[in-house]
Amino acid sequence: AGRWRRALNVAQSNIADSPRWLAEEWARQLTAVFETMTGEAPYVTFTPLEPTAESAEPAPSDLLWWKQPFSLGSQFVLWTGAAESNWQEIGRHILTCAGVDDADADNIRSTYLETVRQALSGIAAVLSGRAGMEVSCTDGRESTPSNEPSGPRYSFEVHLGDQARPIIVMFSPSLAALPEKAASLAAAPPSAEPPKPQMLSPAKMNSIDLLLDVELPVSLSFGRAQLPLKEVIKLTTGSIVELNRAISEPVDVIVNNCVIARGEVVVVEGNFGIRIRQVISRQERLRTLY
């Protein structure tokens, strides 16, 4: 299991500037997510839908649609839609591979949507490289694109055994037309004169004062746990996850992914805090890197 297999079955189309690169990336990301979650890579094909009068009509409302904007702007959106029988079979297949044979409809639905969201996260990473800036998924939700600007549409078929399960994918016009480095150029305002670099004297460069205003993330770790995927999927409201730390053991103080101290939890004016009991040595810090 795990062999990478996919086919790009692209039909002839008169779509101007068809975003084939985006369709290829969606097929690649969807295949990668399936392989990660099930241990096997499905056979994925995609075909562009012709821009006929029918495709210009509102998208079918009887599909389960997921609308995913990206941080490039509200006009950069990708929609995915699947019929109930298709998303149920996809979600059930993933759960079965994880060892869950008696999943209910809600778990199947959430598993399918999680698969779509993970693939979209991969698309965001691809967009980051293409746009020359960090791109992330923002405010995704279930939404039918009936009143949205219609861009290129593709039909992706996920082959599970002898069955092909179609997923409809729509790209907003802005997302489909995104050129390489376009966002980075738009984000950088024109400047009449480039800023001159500030020169520091050797004395100033050697001063620790330069580092005192640097902000570092500080977090507390109460413990860790490792669970198989089939147990994670079963987690619901009220579930208890046992950690690898006794209640009497001190918690870790983590700064920039490195444990620097240990202490006990206290309450200060209604807020949680920690009383430092031990600052660990430099050698031990290297062994506790997160």
Side-chain angles (χ1 to χ4, degrees), residues 211-212 214-221 224 251-262 274 276 278-280 284-286 288-290:
L211 304 177
L212 295 181
V214 175
E215 296 184 359
L216 298 175
V218 179
S219 58
L220 305 182
S221 173
R224 288 185 168 189
V251 298
D252 293 334
V253 180
I254 304 170
V255 176
N256 202 28
N257 298 324
C258 179
V259 178
I260 67 166
R262 295 187 175 93
I274 184 169
I276 303 297
Q278 175 193 9
V279 177
I280 65 176
E284 189 175 358
R285 293 179 192 177
L286 296 177
T288 59
L289 284 172
Y290 274 62

Side-chain angles (χ1 to χ4, degrees), residues 4 6 21-37 42 44 115-127 156:
W4 187 279
R6 86 185 154 85
W21 67 271
L22 194 51
E24 289 178 349
E25 285 299 338
W26 173 255
R28 184 177 295 108
Q29 296 299 331
L30 189 62
T31 304
V33 171
F34 263 93
E35 186 172 17
T36 300
M37 300 181 74
V44 178
T115 303
V116 170
R117 287 191 292 264
Q118 288 193 27
L120 288 166
S121 296
I123 291 293
V126 173
L127 293 176
F156 288 78

Side-chain angles (χ1 to χ4, degrees), residues 141-266:
R141 64 185 185 277
E142 295 182 31
S143 176
T144 303
S146 55
N147 298 321
E148 305 285 355
S150 179
R153 304 183 185 190
Y154 285 80
S155 175
F156 288 78
E157 290 191 344
V158 181
H159 297 258
L160 303 176
D162 297 332
Q163 298 292 326
R165 299 295 174 176
I167 299 177
I168 304 300
V169 177
M170 294 174 50
F171 307 122
S172 65
S174 297
L175 187 63
L178 178 68
E180 292 188 77
K181 308 298 182 182
S184 62
L185 295 177
S191 176
E193 182 178 355
K196 296 180 180 179
Q198 296 182 353
M199 303 299 294
L200 298 177
S201 64
K204 197 67 174 180
M205 292 176 63
N206 294 330
S207 175
I208 196 174
D209 293 341
L210 295 175
L211 304 177
L212 295 181
D213 291 332
V214 175
E215 296 184 359
L216 298 175
V218 179
S219 58
L220 305 182
S221 173
F222 289 85
R224 288 185 168 189
Q226 289 186 341
L227 299 176
L229 179 59
K230 62 181 180 181
E231 297 297 331
V232 175
I233 295 176
K234 295 179 181 179
L235 293 178
T236 60
T237 303
S239 299
I240 297 177
V241 178
E242 184 178 356
L243 304 179
N244 62 346
R245 189 186 302 268
I247 192 173
S248 59
E249 293 185 57
V251 298
D252 293 334
V253 180
I254 304 170
V255 176
N256 202 28
N257 298 324
C258 179
V259 178
I260 67 166
R262 295 187 175 93
E264 60 183 8
V265 177
V266 297

Side-chain angles (χ1 to χ4, degrees), residues 10-24 46-49 51 130 151-154 171 175-177:
V10 184
Q12 294 296 325
S13 173
N14 59 355
I15 299 177
D17 297 327
S18 178
R20 175 172 175 171
W21 67 271
L22 194 51
E24 289 178 349
F46 71 82
T47 304
L49 300 178
R130 187 174 182 88
R153 304 183 185 190
Y154 285 80
F171 307 122
L175 187 63

